[in-house]
């Protein structure tokens, strides 16, 4: 493509309203412009990258056995009323009336449409499983659109849906999709983790988020520094083994601890380690009181507590409830001598505490010399704390680190939520009517574009991975008025294309400094500069990523490009 | 693709609500399903064809020097208010409010968005011309959606816009686009005409519609049976040469013609040919009366009249106006002895009428023996009639025929309409501020899909042209339970793909009659059937278009396919 004929409006200044690097660079390098809050135009360079990402997505979806289709953005309200989401989705779902005053949703997602489509056509287990996907513009009226196309109101998404007669069939499709997602994000050059995100069962395999590691991310994940393990911090199981000290057991002793409530205060006041403190937190789990014990250096994970009891509601007990249950004020609560109506559960780490400290259920007093088995009635031990940096990875390989990240994909076993609500059934082998079992699988295509830039840039601009660069070669004649430079540029432009490269020729009548600055901003993998030595048949080749540059004779150019770009 | 894994819900019955062939076949062959009135899902086969059409469009747009971008569907009301179309577009423009009650148009077209985008970035003639296009879903709330995806409310469109410093530059881009459109529709296998559609100047070159010939079309066009000439019937200039008879001139004679008003009545009553009758039609052209004369076998073209006078309004005179101007009732009006305040203009054909017949401006009377030059005062002769079938083509080559057609594309010189309204200006070479000169160029991508089917089908189903067929080969094992048939099918499936063919393998456990009927409906160019002779290494090849079939040894299969499909 010739730069004079296309539209790459670069900016020298960093736009003041762009907070994150990808947003700044997409504006500065002429990739996007904002049309309204959270609504963007993708200019030619961005469009090329989008199409490349889409192509990668298509190839991997097809390999996973899914067929592409295209559903409409205008979705009848009646469908959303069937699933109930017309009422529950809230203002994020944009709604529009047609000239006959009929209501439509603007497609935020397509579970309802695909479910209605499939239920109308498929009646027998013989025609299952079926996986369908589309790549399409979606609309979600975000409360706070921000970070450019990372969180927009109109964006491009790949959404896939699968339909099954059995759970095993769903598992199989899910695993294929999982592999496809790994391939897609790898091919896009992203450093990402497939993160356990199940809110139903700890360490479950019913849903994963694909998270691109980035400081600007809104999610925190726990990942192993050596294995593939990764999970949302809420979801990561703790698999630690705790060593129990062989110290002689001390007697239980009540100590006055005036106004010492927090673990920090108590450990300092009594001069003991946090590890020796037993943190006791009273919860209301549905209708019962549960006192949860974790070590002083740990935090209670209420999602794990909720899952332990398969509870609907888990809340911290209020001061009144604490008074009612333990006849005590918060800050001095402990597991010794609690009444029958309070169940005491403990994190595994508590079993190894020797001669610990805990609240005495009496204002201004704690116990010292606490030994759980001897002094308390713990009804059960379980994994009840948040994982921490430095913990052993739950899969046994490596150590846990924390990172922030951007969600670019999500695979999810829907089960029969939509098929039951919308009556999408089939006849099984025995002629019985069953609801179809479903999975859904999303990728934020335009968000992926921004995430790539977030991970691939330096102080001068974007640094595209070769696989999704808008072009591979930026061909820059220093002076278009010089005939031999101009002629050689045109010749090489044609040759490179002939050789199968994608080339951007900067044929603009601009100063070379402007051209170089723009080239760095745009960030194509290899820059070929035609300068004064054109007449001698020598050009300069510069690698965007490393900054390396070479003076090359034309005879050696093809070999070098092959080496650098691997064509 | 394996048919068992994808979604092609064919129907045996013709859906009762589908009026036209393309709509019926897209439903029956499992290409589309309706989600709401004028809103459709494109199932996997249709999606493949759409993507092929889009690829052809992209290649030709890029060759024409246009760059692809992607603009949003959500368009701020303020932009449409700037152009004025927020108020003038009517209910076809769908409007939506966001959570902050801000108003948006759902993109029906993108003149406003692209003009605002370009005006914000381009300030100098040095960065012009610029051609940009997108392929995108559009929304227009049609009053009467019909014919399936031919006239939908949500549809896919390619829209291009060009920006220029000079009219010459616009002409150049327009011509390139024109060529691109010819290539696109030819590559899609369509029989189409590029039709002059200018409503500004007869025979003008400021706008063309690309019309696919079809009986179901809503437009009537006049085209030459041998040349490329084609025009909307309103716009076609008449270039006929009329022979003037050398009969002796008869004297003017007034004849009583009781209740004989129409040309039919008069020619029959007086026993003269229609060609000898002078049809006199009184118009109000803006503020003046104009009596238009055309031959009895011709019709007045009021658009030509309007253009002749560069008028704003052209209307047939009412009975009262006829009384006022000619002191006569309609039906007996004529050009002889008219007052000064009525201008008489005549179509060129009138100059050749000898001894004609016309109204006498007196109720119940006509003149015979009328000779225009002798008896009337014609102020000017001009092309004032509709072209007719059988007329010589205006370009001198061939004879005019009429046809109906479907508009699939439109190229249009917008001029400065939007750039002036929205202040999209640039500095010219002399430093003067000028409005950009614009062109716009649309293609209905989803409509093109339907138009192809409208032209390519037979009584059994669709007959795809090779260039945009969803697959080239339909591979059909007669009996999937027969191991040698199954094995050979799998082997050939892999081989065909290896050889670069697109193949649909019907691996469903269906009876062969069902498979063949579905294959005819779907309409892939070549069917390869693996039957009983599989063990002998013989298969059947059938050409969908001609119905020809061949029994072929496996050794000869590749050669035959190459011959039929040209890979």
């Amino acid at each position: 493509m010739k730069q004079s004929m296309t539209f790459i409006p670069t900016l020298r200044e960093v736009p003041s309203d762009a907070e994150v690097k990808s947003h700044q660079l997409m504006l500065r390098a002429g990739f996007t412009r904002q049309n309204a809050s959270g609504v963007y135009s993708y200019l030619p360079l961005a469009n090329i990258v989008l199409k490349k990402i889409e192509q990668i997505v298509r190839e991997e979806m097809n390999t996973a056995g899914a067929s592409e289709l295209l559903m409409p953005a205008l979705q009848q309200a009646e469908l959303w009323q069937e699933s109930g989401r017309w009422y529950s989705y809230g203002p994020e779902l944009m709604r529009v009336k047609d000239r006959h005053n009929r209501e439509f949703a603007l497609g935020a997602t397509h579970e309802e449409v695909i479910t209605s489509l499939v239920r109308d056509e498929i009646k027998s287990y013989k025609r299952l499983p079926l996986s369908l996907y589309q790549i399409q513009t979606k609309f979600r009226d975000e409360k706070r659109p921000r970070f450019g196309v990372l969180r927009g109101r109109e964006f491009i998404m790949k959404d896939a849906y699968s339909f099954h007669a059995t759970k095993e069939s769903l598992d199989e499709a899910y695993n294929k999709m999982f592999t496809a997602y790994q391939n897609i994000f790898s091919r896009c050059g992203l450093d990402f983790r497939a993160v356990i995100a199940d809110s139903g069962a700890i360490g479950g395999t019913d849903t994963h988020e694909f998270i691109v590691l980035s400081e600007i991310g809104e999610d925190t994940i726990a990942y192993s520094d050596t294995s593939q393990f990764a999970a949302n911090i809420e979801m990561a199981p703790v698999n630690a083994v705790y060593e129990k000290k062989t110290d002689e057991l001390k007697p239980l002793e009540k100590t006055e601890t005036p106004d010492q409530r927090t673990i920090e205060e108590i450990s300092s006041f009594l001069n003991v380690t946090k590890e020796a403190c037993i943190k006791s937190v009273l919860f209301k789990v549905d209708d019962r009181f549960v006192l949860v014990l974790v070590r002083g250096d740990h935090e209670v994970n209420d999602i794990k507590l909720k899952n332990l009891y398969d509870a609907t509601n888990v809340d911290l007990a209020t001061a009144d409830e604490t008074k009612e249950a333990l006849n005590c004020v918060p800050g001095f609560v402990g597991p010794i001598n609690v009444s029958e109506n309070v169940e005491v559960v403990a994190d595994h780490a508590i079993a190894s505490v020797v001669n610990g400290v805990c609240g005495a259920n009496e204002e201004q007093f704690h116990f010292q010399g606490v030994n759980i088995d001897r002094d308390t009635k713990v009804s059960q031990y379980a994994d009840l704390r948040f994982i921490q940096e430095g913990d052993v990875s739950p899969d046994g390989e490596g150590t846990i680190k924390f990172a922030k990240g951007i969600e670019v994909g999500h695979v999810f076993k829907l089960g029969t939520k939509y098929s039951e609500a919308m009556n999408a059934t089939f006849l099984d082998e025995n002629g019985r009517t069953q609801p179809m079992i479903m999975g859904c699988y999303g990728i934020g295509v335009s968000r992926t574009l921004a995430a790539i830039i977030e991970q691939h840039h330096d102080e001068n601009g974007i640094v595209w991975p070769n696989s999704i660069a808008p072009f591979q070669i930026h061909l820059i004649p220093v002076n278009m008025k010089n005939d031999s430079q101009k002629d050689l540029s045109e010749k090489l432009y044609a040759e490179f294309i002939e050789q199968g490269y994608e080339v951007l020729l900067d044929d603009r009548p601009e100063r070379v400094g402007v051209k170089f600055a723009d080239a760095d901003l745009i960030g194509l993998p290899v820059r070929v500069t035609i300068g004064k030595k054109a007449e001698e048949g020598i050009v300069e080749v510069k690698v965007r990523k490393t900054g390396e540059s070479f003076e090359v004779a034309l005879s050696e150019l093809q070999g070098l490009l092959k080496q650098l770009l691997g064509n």
Side-chain angles (χ1 to χ4, degrees), chain A residues 444-459:
Chain A
V445 173
S446 38
R447 180 181 284 185
T448 296
L449 164 60
I452 294 168
I453 296 175
E454 206 55 57
Q455 283 194 343
H456 295 273
H457 67 266
D458 63 17
E459 65 280 13

Side-chain angles (χ1 to χ4, degrees), chain A residues 294-305:
Chain A
V294 297
R295 226 168 57 183
D297 58 325
H298 293 156
E299 296 295 332
V300 177
N301 181 330
D302 52 350
I303 292 174
K304 292 182 177 180
L305 180 63

Side-chain angles (χ1 to χ4, degrees), chain A residues 419-467:
Chain A
S419 51
E420 284 187 356
M422 299 181 68
N423 202 26
T425 60
F426 67 99
L427 292 180
D428 70 11
E429 285 184 80
N430 303 311
R432 281 182 307 218
T433 298
Q434 305 274 8
M436 295 182 193
I437 301 170
M438 292 173 58
C440 72
Y441 318 90
I443 288 180
V445 173
S446 38
R447 180 181 284 185
T448 296
L449 164 60
I452 294 168
I453 296 175
E454 206 55 57
Q455 283 194 343
H456 295 273
H457 67 266
D458 63 17
E459 65 280 13
N460 297 319
I462 308 172
V463 182
W464 287 106
N466 197 17
S467 59

Side-chain angles (χ1 to χ4, degrees), chain A residues 467-483:
Chain A
S467 59
I468 35 79
F471 297 88
Q472 297 169 293
I473 299 174
H474 209 153
L475 183 59
I476 302 188
V478 168
N479 181 358
M480 281 296 284
K481 287 179 187 160
N482 176 302
D483 281 342

Side-chain angles (χ1 to χ4, degrees), chain A residues 263-305:
Chain A
I263 295 295
E264 278 70 23
E265 288 164 352
I266 283 291
S267 66
S268 166
F269 183 79
L270 297 178
N271 196 25
V272 295
T273 62
K274 287 186 190 174
E275 286 82 349
C277 296
I278 297 167
K279 191 185 286 182
S280 310
V281 189
L282 185 66
F283 283 89
K284 194 89 192 268
V285 178
D286 290 339
D287 287 335
R288 72 182 110 185
F289 288 112
V290 178
L291 188 65
V292 181
L293 313 182
V294 297
R295 226 168 57 183
D297 58 325
H298 293 156
E299 296 295 332
V300 177
N301 181 330
D302 52 350
I303 292 174
K304 292 182 177 180
L305 180 63

Side-chain angles (χ1 to χ4, degrees), chain A residues 236-248:
Chain A
V238 172
N239 218 357
V241 175
Y242 306 98
E243 208 176 333
K244 190 166 182 174
K245 284 191 183 156
T246 52
D247 298 5
E248 196 178 335

Side-chain angles (χ1 to χ4, degrees), chain A residues 217-278:
Chain A
E218 293 170 351
D219 299 305
T220 301
I221 66 165
Y223 69 97
S224 163
D225 61 356
T226 58
S227 79
Q228 283 301 308
F229 176 84
N232 269 348
I233 47 169
E234 291 84 5
M235 304 314 308
V238 172
N239 218 357
V241 175
Y242 306 98
E243 208 176 333
K244 190 166 182 174
K245 284 191 183 156
T246 52
D247 298 5
E248 196 178 335
L249 300 195
K250 294 182 181 167
L252 193 64
E253 181 189 344
K254 196 189 280 184
T255 307
E256 189 164 7
T257 52
D259 286 335
Q260 308 299 311
R261 286 177 171 82
T262 66
I263 295 295
E264 278 70 23
E265 288 164 352
I266 283 291
S267 66
S268 166
F269 183 79
L270 297 178
N271 196 25
V272 295
T273 62
K274 287 186 190 174
E275 286 82 349
C277 296
I278 297 167

